[in-house]
Amino acid sequence: MYTHNPKINNQISIWLITMFWIVSFMIVIGGLTRLTDSGLSITEWQLFSGILPPLNDEDWILYFKLYKEIPEFKLQNFNMTMNDFKFIFWWEWIHRILGRIIGIGFLIPLIYFSFRVKISKLLNLYLIFLLICFQGFIGWYMVSSGLVDRVDVSHFRLSAHLFIAFLILSMIFWNYLKMKENQNILTPIKKMIPFLFLILIFIQIIIGAFVSGMDAGKVYNSWPFMGTSYFPDDNEFISLFRVSALSDPSLVQFIHRNLAYVIGFFYLLIFIKIYKNKMIDLYKSINLLGCFIILQIILGILTIIYGAQILLASMHQISSIFLVSSCIYFCHINSKSN
C-alpha cells in the first residue's frame, strides 16, 4: 500500500493495471514490427516532429527517399513500391507512438500521485519511469544498428530492447499485485526457487530475441529433431561453447529449444514439491504458471514447424507475456509469508 487512503490506492491500482495492458500491447506491436521487417522504415529519431505521420504525397516521398538510402532497401527491398513502404511504415509509426503514449501515460499520473503520496513511497515507480525513458533510447540504439552496413538490426540490441520491455512490464505488475494481494500464506517454498525460475524465463526471452533477430526460426523446421539429428548437423558440438554460438542461427535455435526443456523440467520439480508438501496456498499460482508453460511450448513447436509464420510467431510472443506475468504472480504469492 502506498497510502492509507483507499481511494488513492484504488486510483493507483487502476493506473498500474492500465499501464500493464498498454505495455503488453506495445510488446505485441513490437513483435509484429519485427516479424514484418518494418523496424527500419523510419530512419530518423524524431521525438516531437515524428508524432505526426506523413500528411501528403511530398511527406511520403521524403520518408521513402530516406528509406532508399539504407542497406535494407538497396540489398533486399529494392523492388519495393510506395504502397509496400506505407505498410511497413505504419507498423513502425504505431510502435513509436505507443512508446510516447506509455511515457506520457506514466509520467502525468506519477506527478499527480507525487502530490498525494510521499515521494519516498513512489521511488520504485520513478525507477519504472526512468526505465521507460531508457527504453526509448535503447529502441533508437537498436534501429541505428540497421542503418549502416547491414539489412537488419543487431540481435543483441534487439534482445536488450525486449528484455527491458519485459522488465518494465514485470515491475508494473509486481507493484499492482502489492496493492491487490494482501493475504499471507502459511507454507511458502524458498524464495530463491521462484526467483531462479524467473531468471530462466528472462534468459529464454533474450535467446528468443536472438532467434527472432537472426530469423533463426526459419533454419530448422522440424521437431523434435533439427533436420535428421538432435543437434544441428551444420555445426560441431564444440561450437556451442564459443561466444560465436550466440550469432549462429542454428545454435541459437538449439539453445532456445533446450532451454525450454530445462524450464519445463524445473517447473515439474517445483510443482511436485508444492503438491508433495501440500502447500495449498500456492496451488492456484503454480497451476496457472503450468498452463502458460504448456501453451508456450506448444506454440513454440508450431512456430518452428511452420517456419515462423507471422500469426504463430506473434501468438508465441503474446503467450510469453502471460507466462512472465504468471511467473511474477507466483513469485509474489510465495513472498507473502508470515
Side-chain angles (χ1 to χ4, degrees):
M1 291 293 180
Y2 292 96
T3 175
H4 294 295
N5 187 325
K7 182 179 179 180
I8 294 178
N9 286 331
N10 186 57
Q11 290 174 347
I12 293 176
S13 66
I14 291 173
W15 166 53
L16 288 176
I17 198 62
T18 300
M19 292 307 304
F20 169 83
W21 287 114
I22 295 175
V23 173
S24 297
F25 184 59
M26 174 67 151
I27 292 174
V28 174
I29 295 297
L32 286 167
T33 301
R34 169 63 197 135
L35 289 167
T36 56
D37 286 325
S38 303
L40 297 177
S41 57
I42 302 177
T43 60
E44 296 180 343
W45 189 10
Q46 302 167 312
L47 184 59
F48 299 107
S49 60
I51 294 175
L52 292 177
L55 300 176
N56 52 54
D57 289 342
E58 289 183 4
D59 290 342
W60 279 114
I61 291 171
L62 175 60
Y63 274 102
F64 196 17
K65 180 181 178 181
L66 292 172
Y67 178 69
K68 288 179 178 179
E69 296 175 359
I70 68 172
E72 183 178 77
F73 177 84
K74 293 178 180 178
L75 302 177
Q76 180 175 292
N77 294 335
F78 45 84
N79 289 326
M80 178 175 280
T81 65
M82 177 62 82
N83 286 334
D84 294 332
F85 173 71
K86 288 181 178 181
F87 175 80
I88 64 172
F89 177 92
W90 284 120
W91 280 115
E92 176 65 7
W93 183 81
I94 291 170
H95 187 56
R96 294 192 184 195
I97 285 297
L98 275 174
R100 293 175 172 91
I101 291 173
I102 289 171
I104 295 172
F106 205 91
L107 176 61
I108 293 176
L110 183 58
I111 294 173
Y112 167 75
F113 290 122
S114 296
F115 288 102
R116 307 297 299 273
V117 182
K118 289 183 179 179
I119 292 180
S120 60
K121 292 186 176 182
L122 299 175
L123 291 180
N124 52 346
L125 300 182
Y126 274 96
L127 176 59
I128 294 174
F129 177 70
L130 290 177
L131 276 175
I132 290 172
C133 295
F134 183 62
Q135 177 72 326
F137 166 76
I138 289 296
W140 174 248
Y141 180 62
M142 175 191 69
V143 169
S144 65
S145 69
L147 301 180
V148 181
D149 299 330
R150 55 188 301 161
V151 297
D152 275 317
V153 300
S154 162
H155 60 286
F156 293 112
R157 298 187 190 185
L158 174 66
S159 67
H161 193 47
L162 185 62
F163 169 74
I164 294 172
F166 272 99
L167 184 60
I168 291 169
L169 186 79
S170 300
M171 292 176 68
I172 290 174
F173 193 48
W174 180 273
N175 280 277
Y176 170 78
L177 290 174
K178 279 172 60 178
M179 304 193 67
K180 287 297 182 179
E181 297 288 342
N182 298 315
Q183 186 175 357
N184 291 332
I185 63 174
L186 299 176
T187 53
I189 61 175
K190 291 182 180 179
K191 293 181 180 180
M192 184 58 66
I193 295 176
F195 178 72
L196 288 175
F197 189 81
L198 180 62
I199 294 297
L200 273 180
I201 295 293
F202 273 113
I203 293 174
Q204 181 70 321
I205 286 172
I206 291 171
I207 299 300
F210 289 174
V211 172
S212 176
M214 292 187 289
D215 290 324
K218 300 177 181 179
V219 179
Y220 285 93
N221 302 123
S222 57
W223 185 86
F225 296 116
M226 298 182 71
T228 58
S229 59
Y230 187 77
F231 189 80
D233 56 17
D234 64 339
N235 264 288
E236 296 179 354
F237 188 73
I238 190 64
S239 300
L240 193 61
F241 302 97
R242 296 171 181 155
V243 175
S244 59
L246 298 178
S247 297
D248 187 303
S250 61
L251 291 180
V252 164
Q253 189 192 122
F254 177 80
I255 294 170
H256 194 51
R257 289 182 181 219
N258 285 273
L259 188 52
Y261 303 148
V262 171
I263 290 171
F265 181 71
F266 192 10
Y267 169 79
L268 284 176
L269 293 179
I270 299 173
F271 180 86
I272 291 170
K273 180 178 178 63
I274 288 174
Y275 272 83
K276 183 178 179 180
N277 293 283
K278 300 187 184 302
M279 300 175 179
I280 299 174
D281 294 327
L282 295 176
Y283 283 3
K284 177 183 174 181
S285 58
I286 196 65
N287 290 340
L288 186 65
L289 179 58
C291 289
F292 287 118
I293 287 176
I294 293 171
L295 176 62
Q296 183 72 342
I297 290 175
I298 291 173
L299 287 172
I301 293 170
L302 291 175
T303 300
I304 287 294
I305 291 174
Y306 288 96
Q309 191 268 341
I310 289 180
L311 178 60
L312 282 171
S314 182
M315 289 175 63
H316 188 47
Q317 186 169 46
I318 292 171
S319 176
S320 69
I321 295 172
F322 290 103
L323 175 57
V324 169
S325 301
S326 61
C327 191
I328 293 294
Y329 177 67
F330 173 57
C331 290
H332 180 76
I333 293 297
N334 187 68
S335 71
K336 303 291 288 185
S337 58
N338 290 311

mmCIF file with all atom_site columns, all heavy atoms in Angstrom, residues 120-131:
data_model
loop_
_atom_site.group_PDB
_atom_site.id
_atom_site.type_symbol
_atom_site.label_atom_id
_atom_site.label_alt_id
_atom_site.label_comp_id
_atom_site.label_asym_id
_atom_site.label_entity_id
_atom_site.label_seq_id
_atom_site.pdbx_PDB_ins_code
_atom_site.Cartn_x
_atom_site.Cartn_y
_atom_site.Cartn_z
_atom_site.occupancy
_atom_site.B_iso_or_equiv
_atom_site.pdbx_formal_charge
_atom_site.auth_seq_id
_atom_site.auth_comp_id
_atom_site.auth_asym_id
_atom_site.auth_atom_id
_atom_site.pdbx_PDB_model_num
ATOM 1   N N   . SER A 1 120 ? 8.853  9.389  -1.271  1.00 0.00 ? 120 SER A N   1
ATOM 2   C CA  . SER A 1 120 ? 9.692  8.268  -0.835  1.00 0.00 ? 120 SER A CA  1
ATOM 3   C C   . SER A 1 120 ? 8.991  6.931  -1.031  1.00 0.00 ? 120 SER A C   1
ATOM 4   O O   . SER A 1 120 ? 9.644  5.900  -1.189  1.00 0.00 ? 120 SER A O   1
ATOM 5   C CB  . SER A 1 120 ? 10.083 8.437  0.636   1.00 0.00 ? 120 SER A CB  1
ATOM 6   O OG  . SER A 1 120 ? 8.919  8.491  1.468   1.00 0.00 ? 120 SER A OG  1
ATOM 7   N N   . LYS A 1 121 ? 7.656  6.938  -1.028  1.00 0.00 ? 121 LYS A N   1
ATOM 8   C CA  . LYS A 1 121 ? 6.904  5.703  -1.234  1.00 0.00 ? 121 LYS A CA  1
ATOM 9   C C   . LYS A 1 121 ? 6.696  5.393  -2.714  1.00 0.00 ? 121 LYS A C   1
ATOM 10  O O   . LYS A 1 121 ? 6.188  4.313  -3.059  1.00 0.00 ? 121 LYS A O   1
ATOM 11  C CB  . LYS A 1 121 ? 5.533  5.797  -0.542  1.00 0.00 ? 121 LYS A CB  1
ATOM 12  C CG  . LYS A 1 121 ? 5.622  5.828  0.974   1.00 0.00 ? 121 LYS A CG  1
ATOM 13  C CD  . LYS A 1 121 ? 4.241  5.773  1.600   1.00 0.00 ? 121 LYS A CD  1
ATOM 14  C CE  . LYS A 1 121 ? 4.340  5.706  3.124   1.00 0.00 ? 121 LYS A CE  1
ATOM 15  N NZ  . LYS A 1 121 ? 2.997  5.593  3.767   1.00 0.00 ? 121 LYS A NZ  1
ATOM 16  N N   . LEU A 1 122 ? 7.072  6.328  -3.579  1.00 0.00 ? 122 LEU A N   1
ATOM 17  C CA  . LEU A 1 122 ? 6.870  6.146  -5.016  1.00 0.00 ? 122 LEU A CA  1
ATOM 18  C C   . LEU A 1 122 ? 8.184  5.952  -5.772  1.00 0.00 ? 122 LEU A C   1
ATOM 19  O O   . LEU A 1 122 ? 8.196  5.964  -7.002  1.00 0.00 ? 122 LEU A O   1
ATOM 20  C CB  . LEU A 1 122 ? 6.138  7.363  -5.597  1.00 0.00 ? 122 LEU A CB  1
ATOM 21  C CG  . LEU A 1 122 ? 4.748  7.662  -5.040  1.00 0.00 ? 122 LEU A CG  1
ATOM 22  C CD1 . LEU A 1 122 ? 4.219  8.973  -5.634  1.00 0.00 ? 122 LEU A CD1 1
ATOM 23  C CD2 . LEU A 1 122 ? 3.779  6.531  -5.349  1.00 0.00 ? 122 LEU A CD2 1
ATOM 24  N N   . LEU A 1 123 ? 9.275  5.770  -5.044  1.00 0.00 ? 123 LEU A N   1
ATOM 25  C CA  . LEU A 1 123 ? 10.583 5.681  -5.689  1.00 0.00 ? 123 LEU A CA  1
ATOM 26  C C   . LEU A 1 123 ? 10.653 4.528  -6.690  1.00 0.00 ? 123 LEU A C   1
ATOM 27  O O   . LEU A 1 123 ? 11.285 4.643  -7.744  1.00 0.00 ? 123 LEU A O   1
ATOM 28  C CB  . LEU A 1 123 ? 11.683 5.531  -4.628  1.00 0.00 ? 123 LEU A CB  1
ATOM 29  C CG  . LEU A 1 123 ? 11.928 6.763  -3.752  1.00 0.00 ? 123 LEU A CG  1
ATOM 30  C CD1 . LEU A 1 123 ? 13.033 6.479  -2.751  1.00 0.00 ? 123 LEU A CD1 1
ATOM 31  C CD2 . LEU A 1 123 ? 12.283 7.979  -4.612  1.00 0.00 ? 123 LEU A CD2 1
ATOM 32  N N   . ASN A 1 124 ? 9.999  3.403  -6.356  1.00 0.00 ? 124 ASN A N   1
ATOM 33  C CA  . ASN A 1 124 ? 10.010 2.269  -7.298  1.00 0.00 ? 124 ASN A CA  1
ATOM 34  C C   . ASN A 1 124 ? 9.272  2.610  -8.589  1.00 0.00 ? 124 ASN A C   1
ATOM 35  O O   . ASN A 1 124 ? 9.642  2.148  -9.669  1.00 0.00 ? 124 ASN A O   1
ATOM 36  C CB  . ASN A 1 124 ? 9.417  1.019  -6.654  1.00 0.00 ? 124 ASN A CB  1
ATOM 37  C CG  . ASN A 1 124 ? 8.056  1.272  -6.033  1.00 0.00 ? 124 ASN A CG  1
ATOM 38  O OD1 . ASN A 1 124 ? 7.644  2.419  -5.851  1.00 0.00 ? 124 ASN A OD1 1
ATOM 39  N ND2 . ASN A 1 124 ? 7.349  0.216  -5.695  1.00 0.00 ? 124 ASN A ND2 1
ATOM 40  N N   . LEU A 1 125 ? 8.244  3.472  -8.495  1.00 0.00 ? 125 LEU A N   1
ATOM 41  C CA  . LEU A 1 125 ? 7.519  3.890  -9.697  1.00 0.00 ? 125 LEU A CA  1
ATOM 42  C C   . LEU A 1 125 ? 8.338  4.887  -10.513 1.00 0.00 ? 125 LEU A C   1
ATOM 43  O O   . LEU A 1 125 ? 8.266  4.895  -11.749 1.00 0.00 ? 125 LEU A O   1
ATOM 44  C CB  . LEU A 1 125 ? 6.166  4.497  -9.306  1.00 0.00 ? 125 LEU A CB  1
ATOM 45  C CG  . LEU A 1 125 ? 5.213  3.550  -8.548  1.00 0.00 ? 125 LEU A CG  1
ATOM 46  C CD1 . LEU A 1 125 ? 3.900  4.250  -8.253  1.00 0.00 ? 125 LEU A CD1 1
ATOM 47  C CD2 . LEU A 1 125 ? 4.971  2.284  -9.357  1.00 0.00 ? 125 LEU A CD2 1
ATOM 48  N N   . TYR A 1 126 ? 9.118  5.714  -9.829  1.00 0.00 ? 126 TYR A N   1
ATOM 49  C CA  . TYR A 1 126 ? 10.026 6.610  -10.537 1.00 0.00 ? 126 TYR A CA  1
ATOM 50  C C   . TYR A 1 126 ? 11.094 5.809  -11.276 1.00 0.00 ? 126 TYR A C   1
ATOM 51  O O   . TYR A 1 126 ? 11.515 6.180  -12.379 1.00 0.00 ? 126 TYR A O   1
ATOM 52  C CB  . TYR A 1 126 ? 10.682 7.594  -9.568  1.00 0.00 ? 126 TYR A CB  1
ATOM 53  C CG  . TYR A 1 126 ? 9.844  8.831  -9.314  1.00 0.00 ? 126 TYR A CG  1
ATOM 54  C CD1 . TYR A 1 126 ? 9.008  8.926  -8.204  1.00 0.00 ? 126 TYR A CD1 1
ATOM 55  C CD2 . TYR A 1 126 ? 9.879  9.910  -10.198 1.00 0.00 ? 126 TYR A CD2 1
ATOM 56  C CE1 . TYR A 1 126 ? 8.230  10.049 -7.985  1.00 0.00 ? 126 TYR A CE1 1
ATOM 57  C CE2 . TYR A 1 126 ? 9.105  11.055 -9.982  1.00 0.00 ? 126 TYR A CE2 1
ATOM 58  C CZ  . TYR A 1 126 ? 8.278  11.111 -8.875  1.00 0.00 ? 126 TYR A CZ  1
ATOM 59  O OH  . TYR A 1 126 ? 7.510  12.223 -8.666  1.00 0.00 ? 126 TYR A OH  1
ATOM 60  N N   . LEU A 1 127 ? 11.533 4.713  -10.671 1.00 0.00 ? 127 LEU A N   1
ATOM 61  C CA  . LEU A 1 127 ? 12.505 3.838  -11.326 1.00 0.00 ? 127 LEU A CA  1
ATOM 62  C C   . LEU A 1 127 ? 11.924 3.250  -12.611 1.00 0.00 ? 127 LEU A C   1
ATOM 63  O O   . LEU A 1 127 ? 12.614 3.176  -13.640 1.00 0.00 ? 127 LEU A O   1
ATOM 64  C CB  . LEU A 1 127 ? 12.920 2.713  -10.372 1.00 0.00 ? 127 LEU A CB  1
ATOM 65  C CG  . LEU A 1 127 ? 13.867 1.655  -10.958 1.00 0.00 ? 127 LEU A CG  1
ATOM 66  C CD1 . LEU A 1 127 ? 15.156 2.309  -11.430 1.00 0.00 ? 127 LEU A CD1 1
ATOM 67  C CD2 . LEU A 1 127 ? 14.156 0.566  -9.927  1.00 0.00 ? 127 LEU A CD2 1
ATOM 68  N N   . ILE A 1 128 ? 10.646 2.881  -12.552 1.00 0.00 ? 128 ILE A N   1
ATOM 69  C CA  . ILE A 1 128 ? 9.980  2.359  -13.748 1.00 0.00 ? 128 ILE A CA  1
ATOM 70  C C   . ILE A 1 128 ? 9.952  3.426  -14.837 1.00 0.00 ? 128 ILE A C   1
ATOM 71  O O   . ILE A 1 128 ? 10.214 3.138  -16.014 1.00 0.00 ? 128 ILE A O   1
ATOM 72  C CB  . ILE A 1 128 ? 8.550  1.884  -13.425 1.00 0.00 ? 128 ILE A CB  1
ATOM 73  C CG1 . ILE A 1 128 ? 8.590  0.676  -12.482 1.00 0.00 ? 128 ILE A CG1 1
ATOM 74  C CG2 . ILE A 1 128 ? 7.789  1.528  -14.704 1.00 0.00 ? 128 ILE A CG2 1
ATOM 75  C CD1 . ILE A 1 128 ? 7.217  0.239  -11.987 1.00 0.00 ? 128 ILE A CD1 1
ATOM 76  N N   . PHE A 1 129 ? 9.655  4.656  -14.455 1.00 0.00 ? 129 PHE A N   1
ATOM 77  C CA  . PHE A 1 129 ? 9.614  5.735  -15.447 1.00 0.00 ? 129 PHE A CA  1
ATOM 78  C C   . PHE A 1 129 ? 10.990 5.958  -16.080 1.00 0.00 ? 129 PHE A C   1
ATOM 79  O O   . PHE A 1 129 ? 11.094 6.173  -17.299 1.00 0.00 ? 129 PHE A O   1
ATOM 80  C CB  . PHE A 1 129 ? 9.118  7.042  -14.819 1.00 0.00 ? 129 PHE A CB  1
ATOM 81  C CG  . PHE A 1 129 ? 9.121  8.198  -15.772 1.00 0.00 ? 129 PHE A CG  1
ATOM 82  C CD1 . PHE A 1 129 ? 8.219  8.240  -16.826 1.00 0.00 ? 129 PHE A CD1 1
ATOM 83  C CD2 . PHE A 1 129 ? 10.051 9.220  -15.647 1.00 0.00 ? 129 PHE A CD2 1
ATOM 84  C CE1 . PHE A 1 129 ? 8.226  9.295  -17.728 1.00 0.00 ? 129 PHE A CE1 1
ATOM 85  C CE2 . PHE A 1 129 ? 10.064 10.271 -16.543 1.00 0.00 ? 129 PHE A CE2 1
ATOM 86  C CZ  . PHE A 1 129 ? 9.158  10.310 -17.589 1.00 0.00 ? 129 PHE A CZ  1
ATOM 87  N N   . LEU A 1 130 ? 12.049 5.889  -15.275 1.00 0.00 ? 130 LEU A N   1
ATOM 88  C CA  . LEU A 1 130 ? 13.398 6.027  -15.819 1.00 0.00 ? 130 LEU A CA  1
ATOM 89  C C   . LEU A 1 130 ? 13.701 4.907  -16.803 1.00 0.00 ? 130 LEU A C   1
ATOM 90  O O   . LEU A 1 130 ? 14.338 5.129  -17.846 1.00 0.00 ? 130 LEU A O   1
ATOM 91  C CB  . LEU A 1 130 ? 14.425 6.031  -14.682 1.00 0.00 ? 130 LEU A CB  1
ATOM 92  C CG  . LEU A 1 130 ? 14.437 7.277  -13.792 1.00 0.00 ? 130 LEU A CG  1
ATOM 93  C CD1 . LEU A 1 130 ? 15.451 7.111  -12.664 1.00 0.00 ? 130 LEU A CD1 1
ATOM 94  C CD2 . LEU A 1 130 ? 14.770 8.535  -14.606 1.00 0.00 ? 130 LEU A CD2 1
ATOM 95  N N   . LEU A 1 131 ? 13.230 3.700  -16.500 1.00 0.00 ? 131 LEU A N   1
ATOM 96  C CA  . LEU A 1 131 ? 13.416 2.573  -17.418 1.00 0.00 ? 131 LEU A CA  1
ATOM 97  C C   . LEU A 1 131 ? 12.653 2.794  -18.725 1.00 0.00 ? 131 LEU A C   1
ATOM 98  O O   . LEU A 1 131 ? 13.137 2.442  -19.800 1.00 0.00 ? 131 LEU A O   1
ATOM 99  C CB  . LEU A 1 131 ? 12.945 1.273  -16.757 1.00 0.00 ? 131 LEU A CB  1
ATOM 100 C CG  . LEU A 1 131 ? 13.944 0.572  -15.845 1.00 0.00 ? 131 LEU A CG  1
ATOM 101 C CD1 . LEU A 1 131 ? 13.279 -0.628 -15.180 1.00 0.00 ? 131 LEU A CD1 1
ATOM 102 C CD2 . LEU A 1 131 ? 15.187 0.135  -16.610 1.00 0.00 ? 131 LEU A CD2 1
#
